Amino acid sequence: MRYHTLGVLLHLASAAHLVLEAAVFNWPDPLLDTLDDQLYLPFVSPVSTFALDCTPRDNSTIAAQWLRLDIGVGMLDSLVDFLVSPNEYVGMADVIAMGAINAVVGCGGPVIPFRGGRIDAIEAGPATVPEPQQDLASHIASFKAQGFNETEMISLVACGHSLGGVRQADFPLVVTEDVPTGVQTFASTIGFDNTVVKEYLDGTTENVLVVGSNVTTRSDLRIFSSDGNVTMQSLASPDTFNQVCSDLIGRMLDTVPSTVTLTEPIEPLDFKVRNTLLFPQGGSLAFLATLRIIDTGLNRSVTMFWKERTGTFCPPAGCSIPSFQVTTEDASFLATLKDVKAFKLHSFNAAIDLTTSISHFWFEVNNNDGSAPFIVDNHGANFTIDQDVLVFDPRRSSFTIGGSIMVVGVKDPSSTINVTALTTIDGSTTVPVTSRVTATFELDASNPPADGYTFYTSPINFQFLSNTIHATVNGTAYSLWVPLLGAPGV
Ligand code: HEM
Ligand SMILES: *[C@@H]1O[C@H](CO)[C@@H](O)[C@H](O)[C@H]1NC(C)=O
Ligand SMILES: *[C@@H]1O[C@H](CO)[C@@H](O)[C@H](O)[C@H]1NC(C)=O
Ligand SMILES: *[C@@H]1O[C@H](CO)[C@@H](O)[C@H](O)[C@H]1NC(C)=O
Ligand SMILES: *[C@@H]1O[C@H](CO)[C@@H](O)[C@H](O)[C@H]1NC(C)=O
Ligand SMILES: *[C@@H]1O[C@H](CO)[C@@H](O)[C@H](O)[C@H]1NC(C)=O
Ligand SMILES: *[C@@H]1O[C@H](CO)[C@@H](O)[C@H](O)[C@H]1NC(C)=O
Ligand SMILES: *[C@@H]1O[C@H](CO)[C@@H](O)[C@H](O)[C@H]1NC(C)=O
Ligand SMILES: *[C@@H]1O[C@H](CO)[C@@H](O)[C@H](O)[C@H]1NC(C)=O
């Protein structure tokens, strides 16, 4: 993996298309599900909170470190920030891109649309991060290779160098005079704004890549002045600066190999099903689900409906149950910039008939404002429970600091079967990259068969990680994604 956000983007992409349609979430979709949570709920991932208020760190800012992500303490600390966020479906490259977007808004900059679906490189590519001692022609060539022309190169460097500065420990031949903090900042303001441009134009800049005593490493001066300062003058308008930076940083982040297809921009979902759990309990199947609705101030009531999997049990209109609780959850700062202040979580706890089980569910929402109730049914497709053979059992599982045990139930296995989980494991502060392990489940002696299910168990060494469980029962392969984070009942 290449760690300068600029360098992540090596192979040329087909030009990013600028269709302003939001990605459609057809449940279940673990990629969009995870990305939406990490972008729009606070506290699900550090990417949505750590860089807020342009928080200082290491005498620069977290935001600057996330946007550059290249070398030294800034890279290491950023990867440690990010290490808890990837899972089996979301790669580190998407987390880095979300970090860059949150870095910019966290310092008061423009909102950049986020698209997901990047694929992590598994080996290093050529070294493509531009270096300050390289000449103008090399910089023009490396930006061109990423799809940026000379005007765009000038703007993109100015946008990036709105934040942070050059660290003497990393570039002793660039920062030749001692700076008390060890970091020579690009601009006199900390936030994401065009001060770096204005100070360049009015001759007050202390940007060491412009006025540093080492002429060889004055790369910003060579770049900024390469068109007679025309582009820099155009960026003297704050609105132009924000618009241009949003477009160009967005394009930089969305530059991916032609084999990768990014999603449409991910916007906060009006209605989102979260945290479904189906497991045997006391003679029935407990089915827990939550419908997340953007809070618009209405006092809504929501009813969940479902139909049986086999046989006849529910009335023709479906079995139904009202929500047992409605809670309010704050939205992330990025969501508030998209006019989403909070979400209402409508939670359901249904006892499903064990024999006839459940095939699909949907909701009826009443705004209680005189308007007609309406149906939320996964865009007409229903929320389908594709199987009830392999289930995760949160009540038989246990999650403690000392060690966690996952228990899954398998319905009617004809013989001993092979239950495994692909688990994503956090990196550590010394090796901050995610890894994957396969865990094998054993027959669970402490949980005897019940309600037609046989239980299998596996210790999980790391808490709060995403697991995808696999089992083949009677020749059919089943899999189940268990995003432990925030699951109710856990
Ligand atoms: C020719 C192109 C570029 C060159 C030669 C260059 C060079 C540098 C150097 C030498 C540093 C100091 C890093 C350190 O001390 O650890 C730096 C910092 C930084 N660069 Fe660039 N850069 C270029 C383009 C960009 C672009 C396109 C962006 C983003 C859009 C960017 C964003 C940043 C940020 C945010 C920092 C501050 C990091 C911090 O304070 O921790 N740079 N750059
Ligand atoms: C770079 O492309 C932009 C349009 O994307 C165009 O306005 C600008 O003139 C181009 N600059 C150069 C040097 O070709
Ligand atoms: C200036 O920087 C270049 C490139 O890093 C280096 O080779 C050179 O020795 C530096 N000059 C001085 C006077 O530090
Ligand atoms: C930050 O600056 C202080 C002096 O103001 C210095 O003592 C400290 O080592 C610097 N920390 C880092 C991480 O550069
Ligand atoms: C561009 O601006 C810089 C910084 O103010 C100045 O040193 C340089 O002479 C200008 N170049 C041109 C061609 O105007
Ligand atoms: C919302 O409506 C329910 C009845 O549907 C009622 O019990 C509750 O008091 C209402 N809450 C508010 C804040 O109006
Ligand atoms: C969705 O569920 C309803 C109620 O069971 C059913 O009438 C309808 O055919 C289902 N639609 C699809 C696309 O499965
Ligand atoms: C597996 O096969 C056994 C024996 O034929 C049968 O009793 C059981 O219901 C089957 N289980 C599933 C989940 O298909
Ligand atoms: C169990 O499944 C895993 C993953 O699919 C596979 O690697 C392993 O060989 C299987 N073990 C047995 C005993 O079938």
Side-chain angles (χ1 to χ4, degrees):
M1 197 184 301
R2 298 165 290 275
Y3 285 130
H4 195 292
T5 38
L6 187 67
V8 168
L9 328 158
L10 177 65
H11 302 288
L12 251 200
S14 47
H17 48 130
L18 291 169
V19 189
L20 286 174
E21 268 169 50
V24 178
F25 179 70
N26 290 310
W27 187 87
D29 183 329
L31 173 69
L32 284 181
D33 195 334
T34 308
L35 293 173
D36 173 277
D37 275 0
Q38 296 192 353
L39 287 166
Y40 300 125
L41 297 179
F43 316 124
V44 169
S45 163
V47 294
S48 67
T49 50
F50 279 21
L52 297 185
D53 304 321
C54 219
T55 301
R57 183 167 64 189
D58 303 330
N59 298 331
S60 178
T61 59
I62 293 176
Q65 295 179 329
W66 286 5
L67 188 58
R68 163 135 178 133
L69 198 69
D70 177 20
I71 197 170
V73 68
M75 179 182 78
L76 192 61
D77 286 356
S78 299
L79 291 177
V80 170
D81 298 333
F82 296 157
L83 60 81
V84 296
S85 298
N87 65 20
E88 298 92 295
Y89 303 92
V90 173
M92 184 60 100
D94 271 355
V95 175
I96 290 169
M98 287 191 283
I101 285 169
N102 278 290
V104 172
V105 294
C107 291
V111 175
I112 300 164
F114 176 77
R115 299 168 191 270
R118 290 164 193 76
I119 311 269
D120 288 351
I122 52 170
E123 56 185 37
T128 52
V129 176
E131 295 171 313
Q133 76 281 3
Q134 293 171 320
D135 63 12
L136 181 63
S138 313
H139 288 147
I140 290 172
S142 54
F143 278 76
K144 192 175 173 201
Q146 310 273 353
F148 296 105
N149 71 21
E150 295 174 40
T151 317
E152 292 161 343
M153 170 187 71
I154 298 165
S155 299
L156 191 52
V157 175
C159 295
H161 292 175
S162 170
L163 297 179
V166 182
R167 186 169 289 277
Q168 192 171 29
D170 296 336
F171 292 92
L173 300 179
V174 177
V175 184
T176 49
E177 270 107 274
D178 286 347
V179 215
T181 62
V183 180
Q184 178 58 61
T185 55
F186 293 125
S188 65
T189 52
I190 192 175
F192 188 94
D193 60 31
N194 71 344
T195 306
V196 64
V197 173
K198 290 200 260 183
E199 291 177 347
Y200 167 79
L201 291 173
D202 69 18
T204 60
T205 189
E206 292 188 12
N207 178 347
V208 73
L209 301 181
V210 175
V211 296
S213 65
N214 191 336
V215 173
T216 311
T217 57
R218 287 182 180 172
S219 54
D220 279 5
L221 175 61
R222 288 190 290 276
I223 289 169
F224 293 166
S225 63
S226 62
D227 68 352
N229 295 331
V230 172
T231 301
M232 289 301 273
Q233 271 146 13
S234 74
L235 297 174
S237 148
D239 289 346
T240 304
F241 182 80
N242 275 349
Q243 182 61 54
V244 166
C245 293
S246 169
D247 289 351
L248 292 178
I249 296 175
R251 263 176 57 193
M252 176 181 89
L253 298 175
D254 292 349
T255 303
V256 292
S258 57
T259 48
V260 175
T261 305
L262 297 180
T263 68
E264 296 299 326
I266 299 173
E267 299 300 335
L269 296 162
D270 292 326
F271 302 95
K272 181 180 180 184
V273 168
R274 300 184 68 218
N275 299 339
T276 60
L277 285 167
L278 181 71
F279 54 95
Q281 180 180 268
S284 53
L285 284 171
F287 179 59
L288 310 186
T290 297
L291 183 66
R292 191 196 78 185
I293 310 183
I294 292 176
D295 186 4
T296 57
L298 289 167
N299 183 13
R300 296 183 169 100
S301 37
V302 181
T303 308
M304 184 176 75
F305 289 80
W306 71 92
K307 289 287 270 179
E308 61 284 284
R309 173 169 293 279
T310 54
T312 309
F313 181 84
C314 296
C319 292
S320 67
I321 192 171
S323 59
F324 74 88
Q325 76 175 12
V326 184
T327 54
T328 304
E329 183 159 23
D330 285 342
S332 69
F333 177 68
L334 183 61
T336 67
L337 296 177
K338 295 170 184 268
D339 289 328
V340 174
K341 305 285 179 257
F343 300 101
K344 290 283 189 205
L345 303 181
H346 297 256
S347 300
F348 302 87
N349 184 351
I352 308 278
D353 180 70
L354 197 56
T355 332
T356 56
S357 189
I358 176 172
S359 64
H360 60 273
F361 61 100
W362 68 98
F363 302 91
E364 186 182 86
V365 179
N366 191 334
N367 283 343
N368 295 326
D369 63 353
S371 61
F374 58 95
I375 300 294
V376 174
D377 61 358
N378 208 19
H379 317 292
N382 290 321
F383 297 100
T384 301
I385 308 237
D386 63 351
Q387 55 91 12
D388 63 359
V389 173
L390 177 64
V391 299
F392 166 63
D393 192 322
R395 298 278 153 77
R396 287 176 173 86
S397 299
S398 68
F399 299 90
T400 62
I401 304 290
S404 299
I405 293 168
M406 271 185 92
V407 177
V408 301
V410 180
K411 194 174 175 178
D412 294 341
S414 50
S415 59
T416 304
I417 54 158
N418 183 9
V419 184
T420 58
L422 179 66
T423 299
T424 306
I425 293 195
D426 295 353
S428 65
T429 50
T430 45
V431 185
V433 285
T434 307
S435 60
R436 305 260 155 90
V437 293
T438 300
T440 303
F441 285 66
E442 306 288 343
L443 205 57
D444 185 354
S446 63
N447 283 300
D451 299 329
Y453 285 81
T454 302
F455 299 96
Y456 294 81
T457 183
S458 172
I460 300 285
N461 291 330
F462 295 79
Q463 276 187 289
F464 303 134
L465 283 173
S466 170
N467 300 273
T468 304
I469 300 166
H470 299 277
T472 300
V473 184
N474 291 0
T476 304
Y478 297 92
S479 71
L480 178 72
W481 179 49
V482 184
L484 295 181
L485 195 75
V490 173

